[in-house]
Amino acid sequence: MRQWVGSAMGLAMVISVSGVHAVHPILTTVVNLLILKFSSKAWCHMHSLLFSFTYLLLFRLVSYFGLPSPPGHANAIQMMITLKLVGVCYEVHDSWQLENKLKASEKSASEKVSLDDPVESATPEGGEVRKRLRAEAPPSSDDSTSEHEKLLLKLQHEAVAPSPLDIIHYSFFYCGILTGPYYKYSVYRDLIESRSGGAALKPWSWCLRRLTFLPLYAVLFLTTSYYFPLKFAEGPEIFHDYSFMYRVLYMTPVFFMFRMRLYAGFVLSECVCLMAGLGAYPAASCPKPGQGPTDLLALQTSADIDNESFSYETVHNIDEYGSDFSPTVRGGMRCWNMTVQYWLASNIYRRLKAPKPVKEAVTMLTSAFWHGMHSGYYLSMLTVPFILMVEDYYARLIRKRLATQGARVYDWVTWFLKMQWFAYMGMAFLLLDVEPTLRYWHSIGYIGHGLILILHAFAQFINLIVGKANDKLKKCRDTAFGSESRLRVKSVPDQGTDQGAGQADCITSEEQKKLL
């Protein structure tokens, strides 16, 4: 009953906000059902990805074919339907791979038993003895046995084999149908089959906690949108009557307004899932946004837990504190729209066989394509990989060499830069079109991109100096002791005299040979 009611509510919402454009998510669902039926499980995920994203492109270009352009809410629905349908095809593919791995593991285990005990295996009496000894023996810590048990747990909790009707119900389930969060089919199945949640779960208490800061987000959004409207950034006044620094600083409250609006929307969409009990797993199972439980053994052994022992992290879509106060762009992005971040990481980033910068660029390109056709999405998101390269470079070059206090200062500096970069890219994300975006960026001297180049050049200079210093130190060590020696210069603590500070132990060549 819950399945049918939830799907009916979701379909009613789709039709009410989309009207005739509801045909698009319905058609996308039907074609994906055909893909799952007729396509090999080895390739169904790729076929679904290719079709669904191509159709998403055509959906946004229908006006060029003389058809009415769909409203914004219909676009949001099509975006979520695309993630769900492609995601379930990936789950079917992964389940097929999991079954193959399990068969190979069982075959390997049976062959190992036959080789280890060929005599006993050849007789019925020997087989009985072997079974009795195995039953009495303690659990094996062998790696292959452990891996086999992990595969069995994954098969039990993560493998899926949905029917066409199940996929229709999942696609149009009302939770997350408009604005997310994204959740896997296995998470939806756990709700329908009562595998998640429990009698002790009190959704109202979780919902009220999540709504604590919603009034603050709403007030801050209304205040900043009144005093710092986005329209002002598109008008001629800000370019003619205001200074360069004012335009640089104006980006910050505009992006703050954008964050408050999305925070409020994400919190409300999460509360819908909370009230439905979707994604309520034991906290001991370590659930992650979009994915669900990650500690499957703890999930299996958790029973009769109280309300406070549950976790809704599976449908947690926005970490407001982490988004605002994480010291790096990478950390801030991981706290933003986390369930969609999981979809991108799981289905795009981790499956690419390419260097890390290429994987990041392809993932950001996929994200921009999913968000829409406006050039502002691409100008914004394709800037991210270059920022991440600079951040990672400085983290390796400088931060890891700093003590605790120095690292704290470093994090505050990178936090400030992160917020400025976010505001800079946020202008492209909000202005949408290429002309107003480039006009605004040009008026502030493309400061965000310029900062990337300056920091990269400075990092190369530091790396050159540090590299030369290391080379000189190596040459001095090799000159003093020989390139093959294991002896090193040892600093002697100062004991009140000038002697011995930084001296090397004096030994003869014969003593050195004995030591080596």
Side-chain angles (χ1 to χ4, degrees):
M1 177 60 74
R2 176 187 291 182
Q3 189 177 34
W4 284 97
V5 171
S7 302
M9 291 174 60
L11 188 59
M13 292 169 63
V14 170
I15 295 174
S16 63
V17 302
S18 301
V20 296
H21 299 284
V23 68
H24 295 293
I26 294 174
L27 180 60
T28 307
T29 304
V30 170
V31 174
N32 273 277
L33 290 175
L34 295 175
I35 289 174
L36 283 172
K37 182 174 179 59
F38 295 106
S39 178
S40 165
K41 290 182 180 180
W43 293 100
C44 63
H45 59 303
M46 296 305 299
H47 296 156
S48 174
L49 180 68
L50 180 61
F51 164 75
S52 299
F53 273 75
T54 301
Y55 191 86
L56 188 61
L57 172 64
L58 297 175
F59 166 80
R60 289 163 173 162
L61 298 177
V62 291
S63 58
Y64 290 94
F65 301 101
L67 299 174
S69 182
H73 291 304
N75 180 60
I77 292 171
Q78 188 66 25
M79 290 167 65
M80 293 311 303
I81 287 284
T82 297
L83 292 188
K84 281 185 170 183
L85 291 170
V86 176
V88 73
C89 289
Y90 270 99
E91 287 185 75
V92 169
H93 168 76
D94 292 342
S95 300
W96 170 77
Q97 283 192 325
L98 181 60
E99 291 173 356
N100 291 339
K101 289 180 181 178
L102 191 59
K103 290 177 183 177
S105 177
E106 291 173 348
K107 182 178 179 181
S108 175
S110 62
E111 289 176 353
K112 182 178 179 181
V113 169
S114 300
L115 291 173
D116 289 345
D117 199 5
V119 176
E120 289 186 357
S121 300
T123 63
E125 295 80 3
E128 292 299 325
V129 171
R130 188 176 67 254
K131 290 179 182 178
R132 180 167 55 81
L133 290 174
R134 279 186 183 166
E136 295 173 356
S140 171
S141 60
D142 184 74
D143 290 342
S144 61
T145 303
S146 176
E147 184 65 25
H148 184 72
E149 291 172 352
K150 289 179 182 178
L151 291 174
L152 287 173
L153 280 174
K154 288 176 71 69
L155 185 69
Q156 179 181 351
H157 295 285
E158 294 184 355
V160 299
S163 67
L165 187 59
D166 290 333
I167 294 176
I168 293 172
H169 284 304
Y170 166 64
S171 300
F172 292 98
F173 192 62
Y174 73 97
C175 290
I177 192 71
L178 285 173
T179 57
Y182 165 78
Y183 46 90
K184 293 168 61 178
Y185 172 80
S186 59
V187 173
Y188 165 78
R189 177 202 59 194
D190 290 347
L191 172 69
I192 299 301
E193 297 180 0
S194 300
R195 297 189 188 186
S196 59
L201 183 65
K202 298 176 182 178
W204 270 109
S205 65
W206 290 93
C207 187
L208 291 175
R209 285 182 227 176
R210 195 67 183 100
L211 291 171
T212 302
F213 293 101
L214 181 64
L216 176 63
Y217 299 152
V219 170
L220 291 175
F221 165 69
L222 294 173
T223 303
T224 51
S225 62
Y226 179 79
Y227 287 105
F228 303 96
L230 179 63
K231 284 290 183 183
F232 185 66
E234 302 178 81
E237 295 85 1
I238 195 170
F239 301 107
H240 298 153
D241 303 335
Y242 293 86
S243 66
F244 168 85
M245 281 306 302
Y246 184 86
R247 289 192 294 273
V248 171
L249 296 174
Y250 194 80
M251 298 187 298
T252 299
V254 169
F255 184 62
F256 180 82
M257 174 218 25
F258 175 64
R259 296 203 312 277
M260 294 303 107
R261 175 166 65 90
L262 288 189
Y263 288 174
F266 282 143
V267 167
L268 288 173
S269 63
E270 285 181 33
C271 286
V272 175
C273 299
L274 298 181
M275 291 304 299
L278 180 68
Y281 292 99
S285 65
C286 302
K288 292 185 178 180
Q291 180 178 2
T294 57
D295 190 339
L296 301 181
L297 183 60
L299 175 66
Q300 186 164 316
T301 56
S302 299
D304 300 325
I305 61 176
D306 58 14
N307 181 59
E308 296 302 318
S309 298
F310 282 100
S311 170
Y312 273 103
E313 192 66 18
T314 301
V315 293
H316 189 193
N317 209 21
I318 187 74
D319 178 359
E320 302 96 296
Y321 183 86
S323 177
D324 278 359
F325 295 105
S326 175
T328 62
V329 171
R330 186 185 296 279
M333 289 185 61
R334 286 175 176 170
C335 299
W336 184 275
N337 205 358
M338 293 187 290
T339 59
V340 175
Q341 293 283 346
Y342 163 75
W343 189 96
L344 290 167
S346 175
N347 299 327
I348 304 298
Y349 182 86
R350 294 172 190 162
R351 298 177 193 260
L352 290 173
K353 306 298 182 183
K356 185 177 179 180
V358 176
K359 293 166 68 173
E360 289 172 346
V362 172
T363 303
M364 288 296 102
L365 180 62
T366 305
S367 178
F369 186 90
W370 178 73
H371 275 89
M373 298 304 301
H374 294 289
S375 54
Y377 296 142
Y378 299 87
L379 291 172
S380 173
M381 294 185 183
L382 292 182
T383 304
V384 172
F386 299 100
I387 298 176
L388 298 182
M389 289 171 61
V390 170
E391 277 190 346
D392 293 344
Y393 201 10
Y394 271 83
R396 293 192 303 268
L397 190 63
I398 297 179
R399 194 186 189 283
K400 73 174 185 179
R401 304 172 187 267
L402 300 175
T404 303
Q405 187 62 31
R408 189 176 293 115
V409 174
Y410 176 90
D411 287 343
W412 276 108
V413 173
T414 56
W415 170 81
F416 176 79
L417 293 175
K418 178 206 80 170
M419 297 307 295
Q420 306 317 305
W421 267 321
F422 271 172
Y424 180 79
M425 293 184 293
M427 293 303 293
F429 205 90
L430 292 169
L431 294 173
L432 295 178
D433 294 330
V434 63
E435 184 178 350
T437 299
L438 294 183
R439 184 185 184 191
Y440 198 94
W441 281 357
H442 181 74
S443 72
I444 57 174
Y446 297 96
I447 189 171
H449 292 92
L451 187 59
I452 296 173
L453 295 175
I454 292 171
L455 288 175
H456 182 72
F458 185 64
Q460 294 295 334
F461 175 74
I462 293 177
N463 193 37
L464 180 64
I465 299 300
V466 172
K468 287 185 175 180
N470 288 335
D471 290 342
K472 287 184 178 180
L473 181 61
K474 185 176 182 300
K475 288 180 180 179
C476 291
R477 185 170 62 242
D478 292 345
T479 301
F481 304 118
S483 60
E484 301 298 328
S485 175
R486 285 184 254 174
L487 295 177
R488 297 293 181 267
V489 176
K490 180 180 178 181
S491 298
V492 179
D494 188 3
Q495 299 179 355
T497 65
D498 294 334
Q499 298 177 354
Q503 292 180 349
D505 295 334
C506 297
I507 59 175
T508 66
S509 59
E510 292 296 323
E511 290 173 332
Q512 181 178 348
K513 290 179 181 178
K514 291 180 180 179
L515 287 173
L516 296 175

